[in-house]
Every structure is written in structure tokens, then in C-alpha cells.
């Protein structure tokens, strides 16, 4: 049954950046949607504790994890605590427009086959420039995809809703019923590709992903991991192959695996050495090496139930 204002559970994480979370919550306080709860999970911050967030906004639920559970594990904790019909998974390094939530809710209320509704995302520091209005499918060979509209000036060229192969983990409204059917986010990834893996599982279950043109937020990109950190190098490259192992099968899997290990891996390792980026080289080597250590680990293919 359609509801005018069903409860939305806003789930966002923080790690050593309470200032970002406070900015996010300040913008969230201005939204016009009247029925929502806020759940902030802290992934064991070791430098800047999140207490000031709860002190400033005592109405929120603050969950302090005892260890850093990563993107998937942290969001799963928040989802388990949520009471809403819909879960708004959103980064703490965004600021939202006052009316961004109503169009997302309306989209999901209008079509039960949609599992992921995303707003238009522009860069916070380039507010006239698009970061996200959709993604292409991930190719089974390079295990990469393309952001539709990425880095384009927003001059009104994407002012209609559309379906897209993948949603965007920066901000995604998802029905709790769909999560119960598909399961929670895989916690093996820790960071990067985990939301793509999750959205692919929604696709495999017959759901759709929708871009909602009249919902808008602004993203302070790469504020947590750094634009080109070795940390990012490790997880992006480890998880690219992990995504391949979990989501591609048969001959396509064999071709993709051969491309990665016979072409992409040697080329990338040589590139880091030639450029003198030795920390990135080590991070890359360790990320690829993870797959040799875990070549026969059955947990690679397991999913987590919400129940």
C-alpha cells in the first residue's frame, strides 16, 4: 500500500571526521520530508571521536563500532538497527538539497520493481558539474564501467528519470523488503566495489535501478581515503577481481581472469615501478596477492542474510 510519508531510515558512517558528519547533518536538518530517523555508525575512530555529533544532534542514533567494519560492515550495522520502510544509505561527505528525499520516495512508491533510487549527484567543490546520473554495466573482461554524465557541466541535459545498470553508493534509497530478499552488503570488500556487488545482486533478483532527476545532492569526493592513496590502490584493485569472482561465471569468468592476470596486473605493476610509486606498487601487489591466499576460500561466494 502506498503511503504519503513512509518512514525513511537515514544510515551514514563516520571515521575520524566528525566535522564532515556535522556538515551533513546540518544540511539534513533542512529537508522538507517529515518522517525520517537518522542512524550514524562510527567505524572505531581512533583520532577524532564522534561524541560531538551526538551532543550536537541528540535526536540521532549513534552506534560506535568496536572495530572498523568498512563500508559494508558499517552500513549493515546501521541497516539492522533501522525501522524504516526505506533505507537511505548515504555518505557523510555529502550535503543535500531540502527537497531531495520526496522524489526518491515517490519513485519507489510508484514501482515495486525498483530496488535502488539515486539522486543526481554534483561535485560539492564544482557545484555545476555532474558526478553521477547513472552507470553503464561492468564489462566482464576489464571489470570496469563508466559513469554516465561524469564531469559534464549540468546544463539541463539529464532532466528526466531513467533506469541505469547500477545505482550509486554515495546516496541510495532502498526498500527494506528488497534487502530482506537479497541480503546485506558483502563485508569481504571492506571498501570499493561492495555497493556494485550489492546492486548486481538486486539486478540478478529482477529489480531495477533508477536515477531520479529532480533529487539533488553534492558530494565532497574522496574525503576519507584520499584521491590517490595506497589504501585506495589496494582495495580498488583487490576488489575488482573479487567482484569478478563473485559475479561472473563460466567462459566469461575465465576470459576475464586471464585478462586480469596476464595483461592488466603485469602492466599496472610495471607502471607503478616506472613512475617510482613504490608504496602503490606494494599496495597493488598485496591486493592481487590476497586472491592467491584466498583462492579456495568458500566465504568469497557467501552472502549475509538480514534475518
Amino acid at each position: 500500500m502506498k503511503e504519503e510519508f513512509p518512514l525513511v531510515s537515514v544510515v551514514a558512517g563516520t571515521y575520524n571526521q566528525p566535522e564532515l558528519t556535522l556538515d551533513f547533518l546540518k544540511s539534513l536538518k533542512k529537508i522538507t520530508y517529515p518522517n525520517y530517523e537518522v542512524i550514524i555508525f562510527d567505524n572505531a575512530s581512533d583520532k577524532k571521536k564522534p561524541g560531538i555529533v551526538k551532543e550536537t544532534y541528540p535526536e540521532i542514533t549513534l552506534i560506535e563500532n568496536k572495530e572498523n567494519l568498512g563500508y559494508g560492515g558499517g552500513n549493515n550495522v546501521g541497516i539492522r538497527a533501522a525501522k524504516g520502510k526505506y533505507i537511505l544509505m548515504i555518505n557523510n561527505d555529502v550535503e543535500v538539497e531540502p527537497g531531495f528525499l520526496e522524489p526518491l520516495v515517490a519513485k519507489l512508491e510508484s514501482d515495486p520493481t525498483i530496488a535502488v533510487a539515486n539522486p543526481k549527484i554534483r561535485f560539492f567543490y564544482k557545484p555545476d558539474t555532474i558526478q553521477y546520473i547513472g552507470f553503464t554495466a561492468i564489462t566482464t573482461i576489464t571489470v570496469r564501467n563508466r559513469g554516465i554524465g561524469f564531469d559534464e557541466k549540468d546544463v539541463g541535459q539529464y532532466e528526466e528519470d531513467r533506469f541505469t545498470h547500477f545505482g550509486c553508493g554515495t546516496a541510495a534509497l532502498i526498500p527494506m523488503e528488497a534487502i530482506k530478499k537479497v541480503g546485506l552488503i558483502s563485508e569481504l570488500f571492506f571498501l570499493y566495489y561492495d555497493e556494485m556487488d550489492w546492486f548486481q545482486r538486486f539486478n540478478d533478483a529482477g529489480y531495477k535501478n533508477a536515477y531520479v532527476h529532480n533529487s539533488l545532492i553534492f558530494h565532497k569526493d574522496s574525503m576519507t581515503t584520499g584521491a590517490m592513496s595506497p589504501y585506495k590502490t589496494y582495495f580498488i584493485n583487490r576488489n575488482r577481481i573479487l567482484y569478478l569472482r563473485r559475479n561472473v561465471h563460466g567462459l566469461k569468468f575465465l576470459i576475464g581472469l586471464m585478462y586480469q592476470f596476464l595483461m592488466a596486473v603485469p602492466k599496472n605493476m610495471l607502471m607503478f615501478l616506472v613512475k617510482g610509486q613504490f608504496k602503490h606498487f606494494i599496495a597493488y601487489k598485496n591486493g592481487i596477492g590476497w586472491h592467491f591466499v584466498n583462492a579456495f576460500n568458500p566465504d568469497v561466494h557467501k552472502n549475509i542474510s538480514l534475518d
Side-chain angles (χ1 to χ4, degrees), residues 1-7 33 35 85 105 109:
M1 184 180 72
K2 293 183 180 180
E3 302 175 49
E4 186 177 7
F5 297 112
L7 178 63
Y33 193 84
N35 191 21
K85 180 178 180 180
V105 172
E109 286 284 295

Side-chain angles (χ1 to χ4, degrees), residues 86-100:
Y86 297 114
I87 305 297
L88 178 68
M89 277 180 32
I90 190 164
N91 285 14
N92 71 325
D93 61 346
V94 306
E95 296 191 17
V96 302
E97 288 289 279
F100 91 105

Side-chain angles (χ1 to χ4, degrees), residues 3-298:
E3 302 175 49
E4 186 177 7
F5 297 112
L7 178 63
V8 173
S9 297
V10 179
V11 176
T14 184
Y15 179 69
N16 285 328
Q17 292 176 318
E19 299 89 351
L20 273 180
T21 306
L22 289 171
D23 288 343
F24 160 65
L25 291 173
K26 183 179 179 180
S27 75
L28 192 68
K29 285 286 283 186
K30 298 175 183 177
I31 68 171
T32 52
Y33 193 84
N35 191 21
Y36 67 97
E37 63 173 352
V38 179
I39 300 165
I40 302 293
F41 64 88
D42 178 76
N43 261 338
S45 294
D46 55 358
K47 296 176 182 176
K48 294 184 178 181
K49 298 297 184 180
I52 189 173
V53 176
K54 181 68 172 177
E55 292 171 12
T56 307
Y57 296 99
E59 69 276 14
I60 71 165
T61 298
L62 176 64
I63 302 172
E64 297 187 62
N65 295 326
K66 294 181 179 179
E67 60 181 308
N68 189 341
L69 302 177
Y71 176 88
N75 275 291
N76 287 344
V77 168
I79 292 169
R80 288 189 181 102
K83 302 180 181 70
K85 180 178 180 180
Y86 297 114
I87 305 297
L88 178 68
M89 277 180 32
I90 190 164
N91 285 14
N92 71 325
D93 61 346
V94 306
E95 296 191 17
V96 302
E97 288 289 279
F100 91 105
L101 193 49
E102 285 91 340
L104 298 177
V105 172
K107 192 68 176 180
L108 293 183
E109 286 284 295
S110 71
D111 188 346
T113 68
I114 299 173
V116 183
N118 288 109
K120 176 189 289 182
I121 304 175
R122 294 192 204 142
F123 291 103
F124 183 83
Y125 297 109
K126 295 191 294 182
D128 62 348
T129 303
I130 295 168
Q131 182 181 36
Y132 171 88
I133 64 97
F135 281 126
T136 63
I138 289 178
T139 68
T140 58
I141 296 177
T142 64
V143 201
R144 297 172 185 265
N145 66 341
R146 181 177 60 85
I148 301 168
F150 180 80
D151 214 27
E152 293 180 16
K153 296 288 185 183
D154 189 359
V155 292
Q157 68 271 48
Y158 298 111
E159 292 305 302
E160 61 181 9
D161 293 359
R162 61 167 64 193
F163 292 115
T164 178
H165 192 86
F166 285 119
C168 179
T170 302
L173 189 68
I174 303 170
M176 183 68 89
E177 284 302 314
I179 298 173
K180 289 177 181 177
K181 182 175 180 179
V182 169
L184 293 165
I185 306 168
S186 171
E187 297 180 8
L188 274 175
F189 290 86
F190 193 80
L191 192 68
Y192 300 116
Y193 274 89
D194 32 18
E195 75 273 23
M196 294 297 190
D197 175 85
W198 201 34
F199 296 153
Q200 183 59 51
R201 285 160 51 203
F202 285 121
N203 290 343
D204 292 343
Y207 287 108
K208 295 180 287 191
N209 302 274
Y211 155 71
V212 182
H213 78 280
N214 54 340
S215 175
L216 177 64
I217 69 169
F218 297 88
H219 186 205
K220 306 167 185 176
D221 193 33
S222 292
M223 292 295 291
T224 302
T225 59
M228 288 293 293
S229 68
Y231 190 74
K232 190 171 182 177
T233 294
Y234 172 86
F235 282 110
I236 284 181
N237 290 287
R238 186 198 73 150
N239 292 350
R240 181 175 294 118
I241 297 175
L242 181 56
Y243 177 93
L244 178 72
R245 292 175 65 185
R246 283 175 54 85
N247 293 285
V248 183
H249 310 286
L251 183 60
K252 289 183 178 180
F253 170 73
L254 291 175
I255 293 171
L257 200 65
M258 289 176 62
Y259 173 84
Q260 291 298 320
F261 282 101
L262 298 179
M263 296 185 67
V265 169
K267 183 193 78 171
N268 291 333
M269 293 184 77
L270 180 61
M271 178 192 70
F272 287 128
L273 286 175
V274 168
K275 291 183 177 180
Q277 296 176 332
F278 300 116
K279 289 183 179 179
H280 286 273
F281 173 83
I282 293 169
Y284 187 87
K285 177 180 68 69
N286 290 341
I288 300 305
W290 184 92
H291 292 282
F292 291 96
V293 174
N294 292 277
F296 303 103
N297 185 348

